[in-house]
Amino acid sequence: MSVAFLGTGIMGAPMAANIAKAGLDVRVWNRTREKAEPLADVATVADSAAAAADGADILVTMLADGPAVASAFEAASPASGTLWLQMSTVGLDWTDRLAAAAGQAGVVFVDAPVLGTRQPAEQAQLQVLASGPEEARPAATPVFDAVALRTRWLGPAGQGSRLKLVMNAWVLALTNATAESLGLAQALGLDPALFLEAIEGGGLDVGYAHLKGGAMLSGEYPPAFPAGLAAKDARLVVEAAGEDVDLAGARAALAHLEAVVAAGHGDEDMAALYRAVVKSS
């Protein structure tokens, strides 16, 4: 089975490597070739999306947003009958557009965004939120098993992206609430670390708060998931909610993320939204 993997960024590179290590024939492509070159030991680095997709049984896309995915798919021009595993987070509108493009090309479309950041991707411990035709499951399974600890099949294409937005709303609100709690502690003259100590081991404890909170307290933000991409995801969440539900937590996270991106911190981890919460940070 041959796999064309388009997009070798923070998430895509370790995912492609794990697929290759699982024994599949992998060809990788990235718009900036230098980001794909480190995979040369386990995969074939293609000069173009079309070269990567030529003759491939499966096409995987892991790119920044809907327009990037659409452009890569058009450039790849996969053959009719190719299985397309669209694993980027692109929101509802773009998922529908991509599914339509797949249909016009005779390509089998599976909407399969993932839960997790850089470290779970490196450790093949992502969770895949897959949705698409039942007949696609046997061929998709080896790819999903290579990158994920768990795959959830959720029904028709589009359901995976819907659940991804729900999960992103929770992650965004949690990250922002951690920043606000630490910031409030500091404003009240407390050691902010006391907040993390107080929740540890109790009913209010969340491992993610310690992970992101630790970065906030250290002031160092190596990117597990960049703030720029988190802002994109927050916009997708808010847009999907429309006027049906007031996602105050997601909107607050979006405002803080947009502020730090505008200040030039878009390549730092999303925990850097703390910079916008605490003005002196």
Side-chain angles (χ1 to χ4, degrees):
M1 185 182 297
S2 58
V3 178
F5 198 107
L6 310 184
T8 57
I10 285 178
M11 297 290 290
M15 290 170 65
N18 285 329
I19 293 169
K21 291 172 185 176
L24 284 73
D25 175 24
V26 179
R27 281 169 274 166
V28 298
W29 170 84
N30 196 74
R31 184 180 62 179
T32 305
R33 184 185 173 96
E34 289 76 12
K35 291 185 177 181
E37 288 292 354
L39 294 166
D41 289 343
V42 294
T44 300
V45 179
D47 290 326
S48 67
D54 185 24
D57 301 300
I58 297 175
L59 176 70
V60 180
T61 47
M62 192 63 183
L63 296 151
D65 54 27
V69 174
S71 176
F73 177 75
E74 182 178 1
S77 188
S80 177
T82 302
L83 173 59
W84 181 12
L85 307 180
Q86 204 307 95
M87 305 186 77
S88 321
T89 299
V90 300
L92 303 185
D93 178 57
W94 271 105
T95 295
D96 289 343
R97 293 196 207 184
L98 297 173
Q104 292 173 359
V107 169
V108 181
F109 181 78
V110 174
D111 167 41
V114 299
L115 299 180
T117 54
R118 173 187 290 192
Q119 185 174 3
E122 291 172 346
Q123 298 174 347
Q125 293 187 338
L126 298 168
Q127 182 174 173
V128 177
L129 307 178
S131 55
E134 184 69 23
E135 57 269 25
R137 289 181 66 165
T141 294
V143 173
F144 293 159
D145 285 352
V147 302
L149 195 62
R150 183 176 189 180
T151 297
R152 291 181 180 272
W153 284 90
L154 300 162
Q159 295 300 97
S161 283
R162 284 170 168 78
L163 183 54
K164 179 63 189 294
L165 292 176
V166 171
M167 300 306 298
N168 278 358
W170 181 82
V171 168
L172 289 161
L174 177 58
T175 304
N176 196 69
T178 300
E180 291 184 351
S181 296
L182 291 171
L184 179 60
Q186 180 174 317
L188 296 178
L190 296 170
D191 179 353
L194 288 171
F195 164 68
L196 297 177
E197 293 174 12
I199 65 173
E200 188 170 9
L204 299 177
D205 200 3
V206 181
Y208 199 77
H210 293 279
L211 179 66
K212 297 303 183 185
M216 294 171 190
L217 293 181
S218 72
E220 297 180 359
Y221 304 102
F225 192 73
L229 290 180
K232 177 266 297 184
D233 285 357
R235 282 190 288 271
L236 293 177
V237 168
V238 171
E239 289 168 3
E243 298 181 357
D244 294 333
V245 57
D246 181 8
L247 298 184
R251 286 189 286 107
L254 174 57
H256 290 145
L257 286 164
E258 287 181 333
V260 298
V261 171
H265 302 292
D267 291 334
E268 295 181 342
D269 187 73
M270 64 183 293
L273 61 77
Y274 188 65
R275 295 182 184 276
V277 174
V278 178
K279 306 304 181 182
S280 61
S281 64

